[in-house]
Amino acid sequence: MNESIKKGRGKASKPAMVYFPLRVSVEVAQFFEAYPNKSKKIREVLEQFINKERGLTNENTQQEITKTK
């Protein structure tokens, strides 16, 4: 009866990320292990690839990815 309603992330917050398990080769894993925050680096590389595939420029890359989700 007293169910709490969870508030959203708000207008200024980044959209929530989804969990996406991924299997990669040993070479790929070793490449990303060299970075202090490998999850962040993986996201950067994937975002750059997606933007390149879509033909987007560097100025609007972050905004374009989040708009198309």
Side-chain angles (χ1 to χ4, degrees):
M1 304 243 171
N2 263 344
E3 296 178 22
S4 61
I5 298 173
K6 190 173 181 180
K7 291 183 85 176
R9 292 178 55 87
K11 291 182 180 181
S13 298
K14 294 180 183 178
M17 293 188 201
V18 296
Y19 177 72
F20 189 78
L22 180 68
R23 295 176 60 98
V24 296
S25 67
V26 173
E27 294 83 10
V28 172
Q30 289 173 342
F31 172 81
F32 287 110
E33 289 290 334
Y35 293 91
N37 187 340
K38 65 182 174 191
S39 295
K40 180 180 177 182
K41 186 63 177 176
I42 291 170
R43 282 191 297 270
E44 288 174 0
V45 169
L46 289 172
E47 287 175 359
Q48 288 173 359
F49 177 80
I50 291 168
N51 289 326
K52 183 178 176 184
E53 288 290 308
R54 291 181 179 169
L56 301 174
T57 62
N58 285 339
E59 299 110 32
N60 58 0
T61 56
Q62 186 64 32
Q63 296 160 341
E64 290 296 327
I65 288 177
T66 56
K67 283 183 185 176
T68 58
K69 286 184 179 175

